[in-house]
């Protein structure tokens, strides 16, 4: 059974940093495209960053230069390093995985989410 488990969320002040982690079980992470989505109250879920099986990464324009996605295949773990956080980054962050590439919005597998709150 495929499972994704996020951690690392929390509350920080604007300009601060957080690192989200997503531990994968039930499949080999290197064989799936993976990424991070977020959803703020009253808004639709949006893609934040993704990483393909060949290591190619992509970012939403709103986080380029501030967020970095990476994957440790040996540890079966996906990361999202978030720097220079802004109040508008406040949202529930979800880890996702899918055998298709690039990572689709309607990905097959999802974590339960981890809350990120940025105060001004």
């Amino acid at each position: 059974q495929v499972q994704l488990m996020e951690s690392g969320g929390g509350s920080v002040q604007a300009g601060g940093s957080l690192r989200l982690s997503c531990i994968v079980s039930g499949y080999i992470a290197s064989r799936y495209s993976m990424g991070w989505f977020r959803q703020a109250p009253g808004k639709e879920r949006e893609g934040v960053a993704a990483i393909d099986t060949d290591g190619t990464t992509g970012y939403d324009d709103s986080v380029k230069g501030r967020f970095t996605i990476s994957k440790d295949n040996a540890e079966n773990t996906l990361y999202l390093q978030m720097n220079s956080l802004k109040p508008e980054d406040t949202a529930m962050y979800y880890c996702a995985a899918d055998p298709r590439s690039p990572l689709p919005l309607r990905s097959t597998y999802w974590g339960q989410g981890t809350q990120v709150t940025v105060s001004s």
Side-chain angles (χ1 to χ4, degrees):
Q1 182 177 358
V2 176
Q3 289 187 323
L4 306 176
M5 181 69 72
E6 304 99 333
S7 63
S11 296
V12 296
Q13 290 190 327
S17 297
L18 285 172
R19 189 176 81 154
L20 306 183
S21 300
C22 174
I23 297 176
V24 174
S25 61
Y27 72 92
I28 300 174
S30 62
R31 298 180 181 175
Y32 283 66
S33 58
M34 297 190 69
W36 294 93
F37 293 79
R38 66 186 179 186
Q39 187 167 20
K43 294 187 177 181
E44 293 186 353
R45 187 172 296 185
E46 62 179 4
V48 175
I51 185 166
D52 212 335
T53 54
D54 64 358
T56 302
T57 58
Y59 299 90
D60 183 79
D61 286 344
S62 65
V63 306
K64 279 181 180 177
R66 300 188 298 122
F67 291 10
T68 302
I69 189 171
S70 61
K71 188 168 61 170
D72 186 332
N73 289 328
E75 297 293 330
N76 245 22
T77 303
L78 180 73
Y79 299 100
L80 184 68
Q81 178 66 44
M82 305 186 295
N83 298 328
S84 302
L85 283 161
K86 303 175 181 180
E88 51 263 44
D89 294 319
T90 295
M92 184 72 78
Y93 283 70
Y94 298 91
C95 172
D98 199 283
R100 295 168 290 177
S101 178
L103 187 70
L105 181 61
R106 296 181 184 274
S107 293
T108 302
Y109 304 108
W110 293 89
Q112 83 292 347
T114 185
Q115 178 68 38
V116 172
T117 303
V118 185
S119 59
S120 57

